[in-house]
């Protein structure tokens, strides 16, 4: 008998089955041979929220939550944050290798030639109310791009697919900035292709009457690093949504709009906003002990702490904390940082948090940085969606190239009524 197998005895029938183990997993479909009789569908695995189900093989991102490791295509996130830039990292995430100098120059050129959006996208954003959430505008405008680029439905044509990937990466900052300018009541700024990806985004957000906007190099670099850190995070909720919609062969614009909608949820892309609200509510260092006691009594969570996968530190959190101090050199100190640092110090010494393996996650300090950069809290999930566009597209392309993938269609355990006859209305109780 091979050792890379699992032997299962079905006590309902007394039969034993040998199931192969590959890459630390069994195939759920192998369980279907466990039947009570030939008509039986076969045994299923039941896994709400997919907490222990691998839905795909993927070569993009490796995450080791116990040891606080995050790798894109094998490269540690710390090294990419220190040495790379967002567009180079995007190339790596999408194509699997770091680009040569010539490849990088061509890639950057290709992205910046797609930064403009059709003028009608402006009118679409204009149609929203003055106080619309920017994420609503972002999702709608991304979905609308599908109708501006109808050839995008040819998802199995590699050239067409690559063109949409470039368009989406190039256009999401423009749409994001339009949504911000709309709520502020400011005129929209067109892209400035002399600037870097992050620099151009800052320009589209903040340029007022000056002829040429010059992004502050520290803020430009900080944003670029935050973009690198958020580029991909393997099979999270929004990526799973991108793959599920993509598996029905929808075009990438509508699929990405769906992924962004998942990100909009407060359990996913909204935690950094919640951290800022929490720190503001605590108000001062003196109020921290009482707040911590209320968390331990179960009256609320310490937002920005804990993670489904990281049960040691979140490697992104460490980088973001350092970045916060760099940003404050330019923007002035955000007073919330003192409360955050003290909260972290107390939590890391407290038995409640130690025993539950709760450490600061990426969102604990990122909101403080965004706030120091004058970005309204409503924009925080949009700032997450811009770089995650790269991860969503890489995962979507991987799905389409994977011969094992089909339309995503989970099974269910039916708990409803058995078959019964229709009752006329006068006969109902
Ligand atoms: N503050 C206080 N207690 C907590 C916290 C927290 N932030 N997180 C978890 N716990 C407790 C929880 O109450 C439970 O305690 P007990 O065993 O006594 O019932 C225990 O720790 C285990 O928690 P869990 O809910 O089973 O953990 P989970 O893996 O289901 O949840 C989480 C992970 C991120 C949803 C959760 O830690 C949380 O809500 N954190 C705050 C929100 C947050 O910061 N989210 C951002 C995640 S990082 C963004 C990203 O990577 O996309």
């Amino acid at each position: 008998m091979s050792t890379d197998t699992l032997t299962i005895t079905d006590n309902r029938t007394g039969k034993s089955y040998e199931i192969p183990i590959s890459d630390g997993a069994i195939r759920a479909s192998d369980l279907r041979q466990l039947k009570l009789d030939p008509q039986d569908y076969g045994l299923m695995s039941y896994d709400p929220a997919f907490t222990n189900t691998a839905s795909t093989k993927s070569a993009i991102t490796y995450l080791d939550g116990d040891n606080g490791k995050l790798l894109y295509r094998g490269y540690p996130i710390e090294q990419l944050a220190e040495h790379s830039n967002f567009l180079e990292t995007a190339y790596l995430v999408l194509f699997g290798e770091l680009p040569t100098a010539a490849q990088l120059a061509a890639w950057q050129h290709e992205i910046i030639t797609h930064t403009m959006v059709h003028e009608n996208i402006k009118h679409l954003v204009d149609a929203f109310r003055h106080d619309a959430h920017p994420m609503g505008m972002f999702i709608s405008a991304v979905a609308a791009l599908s109708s501006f680029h109808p050839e995008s439905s040819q998802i199995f044509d590699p050239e067409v697919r690559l063109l949409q990937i470039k368009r989406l990466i190039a256009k999401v900052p423009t749409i994001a900035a339009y949504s911000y300018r709309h709520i502020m009541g400011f005129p929209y700024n067109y892209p400035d292709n002399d600037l870097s990806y992050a620099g151009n985004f800052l320009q589209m957000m903040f340029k007022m009457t000056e002829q040429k906007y010059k992004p502050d190099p520290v803020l430009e670099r900080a944003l670029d690093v935050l973009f690198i850190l958020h580029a991909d995070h393997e099979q999270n909720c929004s990526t799973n949504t991108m793959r599920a919609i993509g598996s029905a062969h929808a075009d990438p614009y509508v699929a990405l709009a769906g992924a962004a909608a998942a990100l909009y949820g407060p359990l996913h892309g909204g935690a950094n906003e919640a951290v800022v609200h929490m720190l503001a509510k605590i108000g001062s260092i003196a109020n921290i002990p009482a707040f911590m006691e209320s968390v331990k009594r179960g009256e609320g969570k310490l937002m920005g702490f804990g993670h489904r996968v990281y049960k040691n530190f979140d490697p992104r959190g460490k980088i973001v904390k350092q970045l916060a101090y760099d940003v404050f050199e330019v923007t002035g100190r955000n007073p919330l940082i003192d409360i955050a640092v003290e909260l972290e110090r107390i939590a890391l010494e407290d038995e409640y948090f130690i025993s539950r393996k709760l450490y600061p996650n990426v969102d604990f300090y990122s909101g403080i940085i965004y706030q120091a950069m004058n970005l309204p809290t409503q924009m925080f999930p949009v700032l997450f969606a811009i770089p995650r566009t790269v991860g969503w597209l890489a995962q979507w392309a991987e799905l389409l190239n994977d011969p094992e993938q089909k339309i995503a269609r989970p099974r269910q355990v039916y708990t409803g009524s058995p078959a019964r006859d229709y009752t006329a209305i006068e006969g109902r109780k």
Side-chain angles (χ1 to χ4, degrees), residues 271 301-308 316 352 356 358 361 363:
K301 280 190 171 167
L302 177 52
M303 297 309 289
F305 259 67
H307 198 276
R308 171 61 63 79
R316 302 168 300 173
Y352 176 95
R356 289 169 178 77
L358 301 171
N361 59 49
D363 289 326

Side-chain angles (χ1 to χ4, degrees), residues 140-180:
S140 305
V142 169
L145 286 180
S146 159
S147 63
F148 290 87
H149 305 293
E151 77 279 16
S152 63
S153 61
Q154 295 161 38
I155 55 167
F156 288 109
D157 180 326
E159 269 182 43
V160 174
R161 193 192 299 170
L162 183 57
L163 177 59
Q164 312 321 311
I165 288 175
K166 289 173 193 164
R167 279 183 174 146
L168 267 161
I169 294 170
K171 292 181 199 310
V172 286
T174 313
I175 293 172
Y178 280 11
S179 70
Y180 167 75

Side-chain angles (χ1 to χ4, degrees), residues 188-387:
Y188 307 132
N189 286 322
Y190 288 114
D192 178 346
N193 293 342
D194 292 340
L195 299 173
S196 72
Y197 190 83
N200 174 47
F201 177 62
L202 289 171
Q203 181 273 141
M204 289 189 290
M205 293 283 290
F206 297 125
K207 179 171 178 287
M208 297 308 277
T209 55
E210 62 269 46
Q211 283 296 311
K212 183 90 180 163
Y213 179 89
K214 286 201 188 77
D216 182 283
V218 175
L219 301 188
E220 185 182 359
R221 177 65 191 156
L223 194 61
D224 204 58
V225 172
L226 285 166
F227 283 175
I228 292 172
L229 300 182
H230 286 90
D232 193 50
H233 211 229
E234 53 119 299
Q235 306 310 314
N236 54 82
C237 178
S238 55
T239 300
N240 187 51
T241 307
M242 181 84 193
R243 279 179 172 266
I245 302 176
S247 78
H249 296 174
D251 73 63
Y253 298 101
V254 291
L256 203 131
L263 187 76
Y264 189 8
L267 292 187
H268 190 7
N272 47 14
E273 188 176 346
V275 171
V276 169
H277 290 311
M278 176 190 76
L279 296 175
K281 204 169 143 205
I282 295 171
S284 77
I285 289 181
N287 296 334
I288 291 177
F291 173 77
M292 290 302 246
E293 287 311 310
S294 72
V295 169
K296 291 198 276 180
R297 283 195 302 273
E299 289 168 15
K301 280 190 171 167
L302 177 52
M303 297 309 289
F305 259 67
H307 198 276
R308 171 61 63 79
V309 185
Y310 296 118
K311 297 301 174 193
N312 196 312
F313 64 94
D314 177 341
R316 302 168 300 173
K318 279 190 172 178
I319 302 168
V320 177
K321 185 177 179 184
Q322 181 49 48
L323 216 52
Y325 289 103
D326 298 346
V327 167
F328 298 158
E329 292 286 319
V330 178
T331 61
R333 200 176 169 83
N334 183 340
L336 296 184
I337 188 82
D338 297 324
I339 304 175
V341 169
E342 183 62 5
L343 267 179
E344 180 185 353
R345 190 189 66 74
I346 294 179
L348 295 183
E349 289 174 357
D350 190 300
E351 179 51 26
Y352 176 95
F353 296 93
I354 295 169
S355 62
R356 289 169 178 77
K357 300 189 173 172
L358 301 171
Y359 294 88
N361 59 49
V362 68
D363 289 326
F364 193 62
Y365 289 101
S366 63
I368 304 176
I369 299 182
Y370 292 144
Q371 201 186 45
M373 290 170 81
N374 250 340
L375 293 156
T377 48
Q378 287 172 310
M379 281 299 286
F380 292 2
V382 180
L383 287 157
F384 194 156
I386 294 170

